[in-house]
Amino acid sequence: MSGPDGKAALRLWLRLLACSTTVEREAGRRLREEFGSTLPRFDLLAALDRAGEAGLSMGEAAERLRVTNGNVTGLARRLEGEGLIERLAGPDRRVQRLRLTGEGRSRFAAMAAAHEGWIGELFAGLDDGEVEELGGGLERARASIRSALREEAVHESA
């Protein structure tokens, strides 16, 4: 199966990047204005919300957010200071787990509901069929990228 020519693939990448950057910038602006928060803080709260009562270790949180442990440490310190998360001792004293507090769950729920509404507004010009079609296309693009990276890794190790 042959893919798009290089110029078409580059145009696609630039369009994806422009859309992603615009949505990210607008969501960040609204989080700051309405909640005094940032996207990285929102992302950590979201990861902890998905993790439930067990929470996440610093390393797990960093991996899920695709950032360094140092980034998570700074975010966690600020969120803990605001009473939104708590640190729990892990089985190994060197490993701390993070989890949402009751206040953190409540605050995140409000932020998440607003965030969902904002994203809906930004994509309101698309109908359900277009959203499904774009979502499917992006999923195929992600699979293509992963496949290309696996093939590259195989060639590099040979």
Side-chain angles (χ1 to χ4, degrees), residues 37-51 55-58 60-65 67 69 71-80 84-85 87 98-100 108 111:
S37 191
T38 64
L39 270 175
R41 291 162 52 103
F42 177 81
D43 290 343
L44 179 54
L45 292 172
L48 293 172
D49 183 65
R50 285 189 300 274
L56 296 171
S57 70
M58 294 280 205
E60 290 167 336
E63 187 176 307
R64 289 188 188 187
L65 298 177
V67 299
N69 283 359
N71 288 38
V72 172
T73 300
L75 288 171
R77 188 178 308 116
R78 288 187 291 280
L79 291 169
E80 184 180 29
L84 301 179
I85 68 170
R87 293 176 196 252
L98 305 173
R99 134 176 114 185
L100 291 176
F108 175 71
M111 291 169 73

Side-chain angles (χ1 to χ4, degrees), residues 20-33:
S20 177
T21 300
T22 301
V23 171
E24 188 173 335
R25 200 175 288 145
E26 182 61 15
R29 183 188 69 76
R30 292 181 186 200
L31 280 169
R32 275 189 309 282
E33 287 181 3

Side-chain angles (χ1 to χ4, degrees), residues 83-84 86 100-107:
L84 301 179
E86 60 186 345
L100 291 176
T101 61
E103 173 65 22
R105 276 190 297 281
S106 174
R107 180 99 165 133

